[in-house]
Amino acid sequence: MAVESTGPETLAHLLARRIVMDGPISVGTFMAEALGHPRFGYYMRRDPFGSGGDFTTAPEISQMFGELVGLWCVDTWARLGGPGPFHLVELGPGRGTLMADLLRAAAVLPLFRDNVTVHLVETSPSLRERQRQTLHPVLGDAVHWHDRLEDVPEGPTILIANEFFDALPIRQVQKTNHGWFERLVDVEPDSTEEAPRFRFVLEAFGSSGNRLVPDALRDAPDGSVVEVSPASQAVARLIGGRLAAAPGAALVIDYGHTHGPAVGDTLQAMCRHAYAPVLEAPGEADLTAHVDFTAIATAAREGGAQSFAPVEQGEWLSRLGIRQRAAALTAKASREQARDIRGALDRLIDPAQMGRLFKLVALATPGAFADAPPAGF
Ligand SMILES: C[S@@+](CC[C@H](N)C(=O)[O-])C[C@H]1O[C@@H](n2cnc3c(N)ncnc32)[C@H](O)[C@@H]1O
């Protein structure tokens, strides 16, 4: 493909030009640019949630989800000894719906609301604006936004992250009969500069592949693909460090697996509630990958936190009383609303829907939950 001097019109043009000049990029770089490029990144320019968007998250399905997370935060804060002023941090808050529902439920303990400072870690300017609109009636201007967790002030912390880690870049490595090679993204040689297309290739020498593959999977069969997310591990290590330095706990909710390092290509693109080819239109579709909860917990422990065994979302919500909450809402609902509540309950807890695929892991200051694990774990 020849390089011309016309300016890029889409992220695909920009990435293709970069690849032609500098060589293939890692899957992680492709994903990071597709989601977070300041001008063309998927999250930078749109509100992707709900029936008119590309996907629906648990807080957008029902208020019950955020309310139960709110009760977990209140209980956790009380169990931490109610350490006075504290930071309530949310990573990747979407429309701000989870935080709004959480804070409404947290009104059961006025002291919680009196002591809380809310920090939202969000890179998208358009979603920040959406969060401001959602939270202004609840918090006024008392919300702090940050680009990175590192920027949140130190101190006692309760942190939540729903469907944040699945949006962090992964890298992929593949086993060949010559060893492990990193998978890269290259430009299709027969595509044009006006309409670039992309394809997967393997790195030339296997230097990154051999470094990235976890020891436990080194002997996997030829053709196996393994995913690692150094970006996720770095954030988890940072959370661990925060929880080691001051009292606190974190709740990570996402879709993924708990069986440790595994083979499998889970990178997927969603557009208008349907799967799309992952390399087809960078910046136009949501890109996610299964979260490796074992890797998150391990990194958080390396950072200094304690971790609690992951629980499936259906089980966790049931333990926190979602059926009782659904019954209370239904008692005051019209017939149509009651049907919606039933549908939302099923979607959140049914093992065939979100109940099994989605999981939660709790992280905490070592020893802070010596008597019993955090609620639902
Ligand atoms: C799938 S959405 C989840 C939204 C919300 N938690 C929910 O459950 O509805 C991912 C969120 O993370 C944000 N995000 C993605 N990558 C990020 C990054 N590297 N740093 C901060 N926020 C990020 C997105 O803008 C979006 O708000």
Side-chain angles (χ1 to χ4, degrees), residues 204-330:
F205 300 111
S207 50
S208 304
N210 275 308
R211 186 168 39 80
L212 287 169
V213 66
D215 286 341
L217 298 174
R218 220 159 255 288
D219 296 330
D222 287 1
S224 302
V225 173
V226 169
E227 295 174 343
V228 287
S229 179
S232 297
Q233 289 169 23
V235 175
R237 212 168 286 120
L238 216 56
I239 295 172
R242 277 190 81 89
L243 300 179
L251 190 61
V252 173
I253 313 164
D254 229 305
Y255 84 111
H257 62 89
T258 55
H259 43 65
V263 297
D265 175 359
T266 73
L267 183 63
Q268 66 178 39
M270 289 290 278
C271 195
R272 308 249 156 246
H273 298 268
Y275 293 111
V278 291
L279 301 182
E280 189 170 83
E284 301 301 321
D286 186 32
L287 284 184
T288 59
H290 281 219
V291 169
D292 177 350
F293 281 91
T294 311
I296 300 274
T298 304
R301 285 197 303 272
E302 284 166 9
Q306 178 180 5
S307 68
F308 295 86
V311 180
E312 291 174 359
Q313 177 172 294
E315 182 66 30
W316 187 83
L317 288 172
S318 298
R319 289 178 186 166
L320 266 86
I322 193 166
R323 287 190 181 80
Q324 292 82 339
R325 181 66 185 133
L329 288 172
T330 304

Side-chain angles (χ1 to χ4, degrees), residues 43 49 55 57 59-60 90 92-94 121-124 127 131 147 162-164 167-168:
Y43 280 114
F49 303 94
F55 57 86
T57 56
E60 303 299 333
E90 183 173 3
V121 178
E122 174 61 71
T123 41
S124 160
L127 286 175
Q131 292 151 18
D147 283 332
N162 185 59
E163 291 209 50
F164 170 76
L168 295 188

Side-chain angles (χ1 to χ4, degrees), residues 28 39-40 55 61 122 169 180 189 224 241 270 280-281 342 351 354:
R39 181 161 160 222
F40 295 114
F55 57 86
I61 291 172
E122 174 61 71
W180 288 92
S224 302
M270 289 290 278
E280 189 170 83
R342 178 77 232 172
M354 296 177 80

Side-chain angles (χ1 to χ4, degrees), residues 173-196:
V173 294
Q174 189 166 357
K175 179 85 176 285
T176 74
N177 54 1
H178 297 296
W180 288 92
F181 288 73
E182 180 160 17
R183 262 180 138 189
L184 304 174
V185 178
D186 198 358
V187 176
E188 278 281 6
D190 65 351
S191 68
T192 62
E193 187 174 354
E194 292 72 36

Side-chain angles (χ1 to χ4, degrees), residues 58-192:
E60 303 299 333
I61 291 172
S62 168
Q63 67 185 72
M64 295 186 287
F65 185 82
E67 289 171 350
L68 292 177
V69 172
L71 294 183
W72 186 88
C73 291
V74 168
D75 180 67
T76 296
W77 186 70
R79 300 263 309 273
L80 288 165
F86 72 104
H87 303 302
L88 178 60
V89 182
E90 183 173 3
L91 306 182
R95 285 175 163 176
T97 309
L98 171 52
M99 183 56 77
D101 292 339
L102 180 170
L103 290 170
R104 196 178 57 253
V108 294
L109 187 61
L111 263 181
F112 180 97
R113 287 289 299 269
D114 295 346
N115 280 288
V116 72
T117 310
V118 172
H119 298 271
L120 305 180
V121 178
E122 174 61 71
T123 41
S124 160
S126 61
L127 286 175
R128 280 189 182 197
E129 176 52 25
R130 181 66 201 240
Q131 292 151 18
R132 198 190 62 74
Q133 288 167 12
T134 307
L135 292 171
H136 194 265
V138 193
L139 285 169
D141 292 327
V143 187
H144 304 272
W145 277 274
H146 309 273
D147 283 332
R148 308 171 318 148
L149 178 57
E150 290 91 315
D151 302 332
V152 177
E154 292 171 3
T157 298
I158 295 180
L159 180 146
I160 54 171
N162 185 59
E163 291 209 50
F164 170 76
F165 282 94
D166 67 5
L168 295 188
I170 54 150
R171 293 172 74 174
Q172 292 185 324
V173 294
Q174 189 166 357
K175 179 85 176 285
T176 74
N177 54 1
H178 297 296
W180 288 92
F181 288 73
E182 180 160 17
R183 262 180 138 189
L184 304 174
V185 178
D186 198 358
V187 176
E188 278 281 6
D190 65 351
S191 68
T192 62

